[in-house]
Amino acid sequence: MTLPANEYLKRILLAPVYDVAVNSELTKLVTLSAALGNDIYLKREDQQPVKSFKLRGAYNKLCSLTEQQLQAGVVAASAGNHAQGVAYSAKIKKVQATIVMPETTPDIKIDAVRRFGGEYAHVVLHGTSFDQAKDEALRLSEVNGYTMVAPFDDEDVIAGQGTIGRELLEQLPDLDILFIAVGGGGLAAGISVFLKQLKPDLKIIAVESDQSACLQAALIAGQPVPLPSVGIFADGVAVKTIGSEPFRLCQQYVDEVITVTTDEICAAIKDIFDDTRVIAEPAGALSVAGIRKYLQQHSIEGKKIGGILCGANINFHTLRYVSERCELGEQKEAVFAVKIPERTGAFKQFCELLGGRTITEFNYRYASDGEAHIFVGIKLRFGKEEYRQIEHVLTQSGYACFDLSENEMAKLHVRYMVGGRPPSLISEHIFSFEFPEYPGALMKFLETLGENWNITLFHYRNHGAAEGLVLAGFEIPTNARQEFDQHLQKLGYQYSEQTDNPAYQFFLSGSAST
């Protein structure tokens, strides 16, 4: 049985979250407001003791349990902010909590859970994915009688998150549009069911990563449906299936859903830093990414716009990746491939055509006696329209070029690999993989694939997540492709074939036909 809206209103108003949570500040983003022509405000959930909003829902859930349930203990599965919220709440309530985390979880997150929970938090490392950790948490719940503290699909958790809506209404009662990040949907559900009852004219827009848009998929299907895979960069919203109750509430109370790219999220992290000097985690910057994108797409001026910085638990090493990608997200940089003649002065002539613009990156590769292939990054002052003008000038001057600014494989791998081609034509196939970051992952890969097929290319990147990103090439005879596909399935890693990707064809393929 689902809760009626007025019952959520009651539970949110009476939620005892302020035993542990703070009424977080609403900060005006002065620089971003001036740039976008609206008053933009950010709800600062990074100010919570665990640096995210998850504490509200976790504590509210524990407060709803009976004394018998508290004595038996609780269990949760999480690799991130929910785990820390449960651990902190358990310590305050003096309840034994078992937190099941994947073996791939970075040490910084495991240590944080143990620090927040102290003697009341017992960490269990199980499996290499969230789904495996969740299954183990459910098993422990059944065997030991623990109460499961769900991260989002729970009425009391939703009500706890909804207290943010209560604060927003008090802090900015004339708010016009609110942007809320969506992973499992608990945050958007709790805030929207509260605000829409009291301020029905408020427009609420859900923001999802385009690599984990489970709400958008559910709205299309009319019910929660699992995504085949999710991206790992914004791990705080990397949820395959939206919760049933969050979906019901979002379907009723959220006005629109938009998606944002990884580059747009990186640009939003920089936007937040520029105005607050706070470094948001990727999921925490989702609402600001949505604000920038939505306001640039629509003619909206002079409105009061709100977003929620829902978390700031970022792995420090992720910043290297964010710095690389933020200018692409702001459309202040373009990266593209060009064929230039292999002759003296060709590079100088090419640079002259760029009209004095700043070159941010230049990778050169001799391709034949007649031409060279280059990977170029340039600084833009006027966004994508300026790149289209550059592209027109280059094309008119006889240069073959194409934009790589939206080509994920080019930005993750190829820009670091320009220069390598096999010396002769081979039957090469290229695949991208998500490698779990745990001991033995590479050996499993090599034992499953490397002993059967010749590896022709291998490039690994990790940006502080639980999975590394791998680009690998294999020499696969045509008559062996079915057997190779069977070994891919046996491997069990997320993968996609990239053989036809133009970035590979242009810079790395043994074929000279591109």
Side-chain angles (χ1 to χ4, degrees), residues 62 74 85-97 117 120-121:
L62 263 60
V74 299
V86 172
Y88 190 96
S89 300
K91 183 178 181 180
I92 298 298
K93 296 287 289 181
K94 294 182 170 53
V95 176
Q96 291 298 321
Y120 295 96

Side-chain angles (χ1 to χ4, degrees), residues 153-167:
D153 202 0
D154 180 280
E155 290 89 347
D156 291 303
V157 171
I158 291 170
Q161 323 301 26
T163 56
I164 295 174
R166 170 186 171 183
E167 294 168 19

Side-chain angles (χ1 to χ4, degrees), residues 103-115 125 315:
E103 295 170 11
T104 56
T105 305
D107 289 342
I108 188 173
K109 294 185 177 182
I110 297 171
D111 293 342
V113 169
R114 289 174 173 154
R115 183 174 71 254
L125 300 178
N315 188 320

Side-chain angles (χ1 to χ4, degrees), residues 16-17 19-20 54-71 73-76 82 84-99 120 147-150 154 156-157 160:
V17 299
D19 293 347
V20 293
K54 288 287 190 177
L55 178 62
R56 297 173 183 260
Y59 188 77
N60 198 50
K61 177 62 179 177
L62 263 60
C63 289
S64 73
L65 301 181
T66 65
E67 189 60 36
Q68 184 179 4
Q69 289 174 316
L70 292 172
Q71 287 293 327
V74 299
V75 64
H82 180 59
Q84 297 178 34
V86 172
Y88 190 96
S89 300
K91 183 178 181 180
I92 298 298
K93 296 287 289 181
K94 294 182 170 53
V95 176
Q96 291 298 321
T98 299
I99 314 292
Y120 295 96
T147 297
M148 188 77 173
V149 183
D154 180 280
D156 291 303
V157 171

